[in-house]
Amino acid sequence: MTPAARGALPLLSNWNQVAEKIRKHPRGPLVIFLDFDGTLVDIAPRPQMVRLKPAARRILRKLSRHRRVRIVMISGRRRAELLHFIGIRSIRYFGLYGWESGTGALLPSRSTAVLQRALRVLEDRLRPYPTAWIENKKSSLSIHLLDVPAQQQIQIRSKLRAWLKPFRKSLRVEANLRDVEILPRSFQGKGAAVRRLLAEPKLKGALPFYFGDDFSDESGFAAVRRGVSIHVGKPRTTAADFTVRTPAQVAGVLSKLASLLD
């Protein structure tokens, strides 16, 4: 959580504030950063079961073709998965919290070896928790806790740092709402990726939007302070400016953006 964390305003009842920002930015580009799970698609029992709804696909395609708009997907998933589930080529895709920007992104062999050693430790330590499972993303690990009873989730989260203490120089822990990510320290997070992209010459002076639902999105909210940040999901303390409840409402907000630009 960032030092500026606070409650967010309901976006739909405060839409005029967003519309005014766009009106004050009449010619420059708009960059829309979007998380995927819980933001564009509803959470599913297993990652491979998600589905992008037709209305969301239509508005993404429309906005991605608009001369002033750049859409950037930034997710903890692998980039290839984002391409598979969305498949709109005019969108930029960044996997693994912004680290994976293309097909040639490979971890050094030493980092891969450390992750595999950590995987073996975690598989052993998680045996008493049969509803927890580990997704091996090759360049990171995700411990999924969606089906784990609340008390056991607390136990797992509190024990993880001790389990991973031997790897602390190489790996870091990213605690999310429904999972815990084990990442190489070279993966700096979504906020670093957002700042890097906004520094590109073509995007300097752009008005940025960031939509996300999870704790890993907090650094992204902070990175677009001069723009518009939107938390998706049940109300919680957040650094985001505004909040909506569901991915369907995200699609609705994107439609309102398109109408305003048109």
Side-chain angles (χ1 to χ4, degrees):
M1 200 66 63
T2 68
R6 61 193 182 279
L9 298 172
L11 176 59
L12 297 177
S13 56
N14 291 274
W15 178 251
N16 285 342
Q17 293 185 35
V18 177
E20 184 62 22
K21 282 206 173 198
I22 295 172
R23 291 189 192 102
K24 289 179 178 178
H25 200 80
R27 294 184 181 83
L30 275 67
V31 187
I32 302 173
F33 296 96
L34 289 154
D35 174 45
F36 186 63
D37 295 277
T39 298
L40 264 186
V41 296
D42 294 313
I43 298 298
R46 287 291 185 270
Q48 67 271 21
M49 296 170 67
V50 298
R51 186 176 76 90
L52 183 64
K53 292 181 179 178
R57 187 180 299 280
R58 282 195 297 271
I59 190 59
L60 284 175
R61 185 173 284 114
K62 179 178 179 178
L63 279 172
S64 70
R65 292 171 177 169
H66 195 286
R67 61 182 178 81
R68 285 186 59 195
V69 176
R70 308 292 183 269
I71 295 183
V72 180
M73 295 299 311
I74 183 164
S75 169
R77 285 184 182 255
R78 297 301 302 258
R79 184 174 182 273
E81 289 183 83
L82 299 174
L83 285 164
H84 168 74
F85 285 112
I86 302 171
I88 299 172
R89 294 289 169 176
S90 46
I91 292 175
R92 295 179 71 177
Y93 297 90
F94 290 82
L96 298 174
Y97 297 92
W99 178 82
E100 188 181 37
S101 58
T103 55
L106 293 173
L107 270 184
S109 57
R110 181 182 175 188
S111 297
T112 303
V114 171
L115 273 170
Q116 293 312 301
R117 290 203 302 274
L119 174 61
R120 291 193 289 272
V121 169
L122 292 170
E123 286 174 336
D124 180 63
R125 298 299 176 91
L126 287 171
R127 290 186 197 282
Y129 307 97
T131 51
W133 62 280
I134 304 173
E135 181 184 1
N136 183 0
K137 301 178 185 178
K138 307 301 182 186
S139 296
S140 70
L141 305 173
S142 182
I143 303 173
H144 289 271
L145 303 173
L146 186 63
D147 299 327
V148 178
Q151 190 58 41
Q152 290 188 4
Q153 285 198 36
I154 294 171
Q155 293 172 11
I156 292 170
R157 290 177 187 273
S158 66
K159 292 177 179 179
L160 259 176
R161 293 188 188 279
W163 295 343
L164 293 169
K165 192 174 181 180
F167 308 99
R168 65 185 181 278
K169 290 184 179 179
S170 302
L171 303 177
R172 68 179 183 89
V173 175
E174 183 92 57
N176 286 319
L177 291 167
R178 295 162 294 268
D179 61 59
V180 179
E181 293 275 353
I182 315 302
L183 306 164
R185 289 202 172 272
S186 56
F187 290 18
Q188 295 179 312
K190 294 183 176 182
V194 169
R195 288 190 295 272
R196 186 172 67 246
L197 289 166
L198 290 176
E200 292 180 357
K202 289 183 179 179
L203 297 182
K204 282 195 173 179
L207 178 64
F209 287 72
Y210 190 106
F211 292 78
D213 74 308
D214 222 328
F215 296 136
S216 58
D217 294 301
E218 290 296 326
S219 63
F221 298 148
V224 299
R225 275 193 294 266
R226 61 187 174 82
V228 181
S229 51
I230 303 102
H231 166 255
V232 185
K234 296 178 181 178
R236 63 172 174 83
T237 303
T238 175
D241 301 315
F242 302 100
T243 185
V244 296
R245 293 299 295 267
T246 65
Q249 287 187 344
V250 171
V253 170
L254 293 177
S255 294
K256 288 172 74 70
L257 276 173
S259 297
L260 194 60
L261 291 171
D262 289 343

